[in-house]
Structure formats: C-alpha cells, structure tokens
C-alpha cells in the first residue's frame, strides 16, 4: 500500500510508510481523534503529532489518552495547550514507561560546541532539567546585575554576556585586588563568589601564517592565525583578534615551522615537530592520495 500512496502523492517511500502507519494507528488506537479528523474539528498534522507522541504506549494507554482528549477537540482551546495536556496524559497513562524514558534521556546528555569562524560559536546542550533551571536562574540574575549597572542591550544579548561571564575563568578577589574590575569595566564583587579557587586556564595552540617574503612585524595585525584548542579548531582569525579571543588561555609557544621544509625521520614514532608540520600543511587526510600513488607505482 505504501508504494501506491507514494506514487499517488508524489512522495518518497519512507514518507509514505510513515503516513500509512500514522493513519492506521490513528484509526485503531485513537478512534475519538479519528472521528474528530473526519468531522474537521482537528487538522491531520495535529492528529499525527499526538499519534507520534503516543507511539511507545500500549493499546490501553493510547485509548486512555484518546479518551481524556475527547472533550478538547470542539472546545475552542488552541492546539498548543491541548498538546501540552496530551503530554501529561501520556505520562500518567504509563508511569513505568515515563520513568524509563527519563532514565534513557539522562543517559543521552551532551554538550556540543560549533565554532562559526567569526569569533562566535554555537553551544548545543542536553542537560538535566533541574540543572537547566539553575542555569536559567543564574543567567537571569547576572543579566539583572548588568542592567542594574547601566547596560542598555537587549535581554537575549545580556544573557549571552552572562553565559560568557560564567564560562570565563576568573581569579578570587584576593588575587586580583579587592573588587577588581573585569574587562567590561564593572566590578565582579557581588556577582561571583571569591570562595572558589581560580580554575586552571585552558591551553591553546596558535599557528600564525606568515610568508617568508613579508616578515615585517608592523603588518602582523592583518595576518591570519589558526587557533586550535582542546575544544577543537576555532578557525582562521586575524592576529589582532587574538588578545580578545585568548585573553583567558595559556598560550603554548611553538618554534617556527617551515611548511616548505622537507623533514624526514627514520624511526617508527613520528616526531612532534614533523607531525605538526604535516597537520598544518594538509587540511584533510592525505591517505587516499598516498594510496593512489602507491597503486600507480
């Protein structure tokens, strides 16, 4: 049947299978909602949203959710509120399943950071709701503090600044002077507790690309630098941006690496200098290229 549906609607076979599955589930597991669709009290996409949310419930649980939702379809209440109520009905329909899904979700927590290459980065995270609420409260408190100090920026911008303040290492007041000011000109007294020790600053390797033909230090500010931290490759930035970008990093000084130099080594373990030269010179893996050369020989 799915193939016929795919041909009739001009969709792919996987999409057709999902449509057929949702239609069959709607008719057999949610008879009241099926009738609401027939009576035009409910849009098809809305019904599919509920069906998808109930997919892991058994038949009794799905019928229970369908029954509890029955008086909502012609009540005039917006679908977003109905969908919110449906999530609660799904939890109570099978408490064991809800607890199991919560345990599985906690095991899938993560934080991912993607550098945009324009001195900003995207942070994606899945954390516990309790911790998320604490984070939200902390961001709100710091944003309120910035507003009290005279900040005029939008709230989303101030929350981003607040997260930057939380993520940037700082020294206790005793090490930086009583009520020492931060880079924004505002005192951190009352914002951060001085009881916590200063964290270890992260390490960053900076590779500045300078051609042999132009070694004038006065022009370095316009040069590009490749920055690599433990969090990954930040991407190309101007040398003039390094102070702001890496102001709270430990910088590892590396001797000048000539990418045109033909380094060689007879041992099994590649020396660090030779490895770094290859990694800086080659942006991608060279194994397929080397393999094709071997085949050609």
């Amino acid at each position: 049947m799915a193939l016929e549906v795919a041909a009739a609607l001009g969709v792919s076979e996987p999409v057709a299978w999902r449509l057929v599955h949702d239609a069959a589930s709607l008719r057999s597991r949610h008879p009241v909602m099926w009738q609401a669709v027939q009576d035009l009290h409910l849009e098809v996409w809305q019904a599919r949203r509920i069906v998808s949310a109930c997919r892991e419930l058994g038949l009794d649980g799905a019928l229970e959710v369908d029954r509890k939702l029955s008086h909502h379809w012609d009540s005039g209440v917006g679908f977003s509120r109905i969908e919110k109520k449906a999530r609660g009905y799904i939890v109570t329909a099978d408490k064991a399943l809800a607890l199991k899904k919560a345990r599985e979700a906690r095991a899938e927590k993560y934080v991912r950071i993607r550098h945009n290459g324009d001195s900003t980065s995207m942070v994606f995270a899945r954390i516990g709701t309790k911790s998320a609420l604490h984070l939200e409260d902390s961001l709100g408190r710091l944003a309120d503090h910035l507003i009290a100090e005279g900040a005029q920026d939008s709230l989303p911008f101030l929350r981003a600044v607040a997260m930057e303040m939380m993520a940037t290492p700082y020294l206790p007041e005793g090490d930086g002077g009583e009520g020492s000011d931060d880079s924004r000109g505002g005192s951190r007294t009352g914002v951060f507790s001085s009881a916590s020790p200063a964290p270890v600053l992260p390490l960053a390797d900076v590779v500045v690309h300078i051609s042999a033909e132009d070694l004038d230090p006065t022009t370095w500010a316009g040069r590009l630098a490749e920055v690599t931290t433990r969090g990954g490759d930040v991407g190309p930035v101007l040398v003039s941006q390094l102070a702001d970008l890496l102001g709270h990093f430990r910088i590892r000084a590396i001797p000048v690496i000539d990418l045109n130099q033909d380094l060689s080594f007879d041992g099994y373990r590649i020396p660090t200098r030779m490895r770094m030269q290859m990694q800086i010179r080659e942006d991608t893996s060279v194994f397929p290229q080397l393999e094709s050369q071997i085949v050609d020989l």
Side-chain angles (χ1 to χ4, degrees):
M1 178 184 293
L3 293 177
E4 289 82 353
V5 171
L9 298 181
V11 297
S12 65
E13 183 180 352
V15 172
W17 272 113
R18 287 195 294 271
L19 289 171
V20 171
H21 179 277
D22 289 349
S25 179
L26 180 62
R27 184 170 184 176
S28 60
R29 289 160 50 91
H30 304 272
V32 177
M33 191 159 55
W34 168 265
Q35 189 59 47
V37 172
Q38 303 301 308
D39 295 338
L40 304 181
H41 292 156
L42 182 64
E43 298 284 348
V44 173
W45 68 268
Q46 296 173 333
R48 293 187 64 195
R49 288 274 288 269
I50 303 296
V51 167
S52 178
C54 296
R55 186 164 294 156
E56 296 184 52
L57 289 177
L59 177 59
D60 292 340
L63 291 173
E64 179 182 341
V65 172
D66 188 50
R67 176 180 57 80
K68 290 182 176 180
L69 287 174
S70 60
H71 65 281
H72 289 296
W73 302 130
D74 56 355
S75 63
V77 177
F79 179 72
S80 60
R81 293 181 59 186
I82 296 176
E83 190 176 24
K84 184 177 180 180
K85 286 184 174 294
R87 289 198 294 267
Y89 296 153
I90 291 170
V91 170
T92 57
D94 192 336
K95 299 182 181 62
L97 175 63
L99 293 174
K100 175 176 176 290
K101 292 178 67 175
R103 287 193 300 269
E104 292 175 348
R106 284 195 295 269
E108 295 176 356
K109 292 187 289 188
Y110 65 88
V111 174
R112 298 192 185 101
I113 300 177
R114 187 187 71 200
H115 304 301
N116 296 327
D118 58 359
S119 297
T120 65
S121 300
M122 301 294 293
V123 180
F124 307 89
R126 181 175 185 171
I127 62 177
T129 300
K130 180 177 71 173
S131 299
L133 292 174
H134 282 298
L135 175 61
E136 189 172 25
D137 180 70
S138 298
L139 293 177
R141 288 173 181 270
L142 286 173
D144 290 343
H145 178 84
L146 293 172
I147 292 173
E149 287 189 335
Q152 301 291 326
D153 305 284
S154 65
L155 184 58
F157 179 86
L158 292 178
R159 286 165 64 89
V161 172
M163 179 169 284
E164 291 174 350
M165 294 171 66
M166 294 170 63
T168 303
Y170 62 94
L171 295 174
E173 291 174 5
D175 291 348
E178 186 67 25
S180 59
D181 291 346
D182 65 3
S183 59
R184 301 172 187 83
S187 172
R188 291 195 173 191
T189 304
V191 182
F192 295 105
S193 171
S194 61
S196 302
V200 177
L201 296 179
L203 179 66
D205 292 335
V206 180
V207 179
V208 181
H209 296 272
I210 302 176
S211 64
E213 293 78 16
D214 189 2
L215 293 177
D216 183 3
T218 61
T219 65
W220 287 4
R223 296 293 173 186
L224 285 178
E226 294 284 346
V227 180
T228 302
T229 70
R230 290 187 178 182
D233 184 6
V234 177
V237 298
L238 293 173
V239 172
S240 58
Q241 295 177 293
L242 290 178
D244 179 66
L245 181 64
L246 302 176
H248 290 85
F249 276 73
R250 290 176 295 140
I251 307 300
R252 179 164 59 180
I254 300 172
V256 174
I257 298 177
D258 186 354
L259 300 185
N260 295 319
Q261 185 179 2
D262 187 12
L263 299 177
S264 61
F265 184 69
D266 295 330
Y268 177 76
R269 293 184 177 275
I270 301 175
T272 301
R273 183 176 178 81
M274 186 174 179
R275 182 186 299 275
M276 291 190 63
Q277 185 205 42
M278 183 202 67
Q279 291 175 340
I280 296 171
R281 185 183 62 198
E282 309 292 346
D283 291 335
T284 58
S285 173
V286 298
F287 178 76
Q289 180 182 354
L290 294 176
E291 184 180 39
S292 63
Q293 291 175 354
I294 295 174
V295 172
D296 292 340
L297 294 176

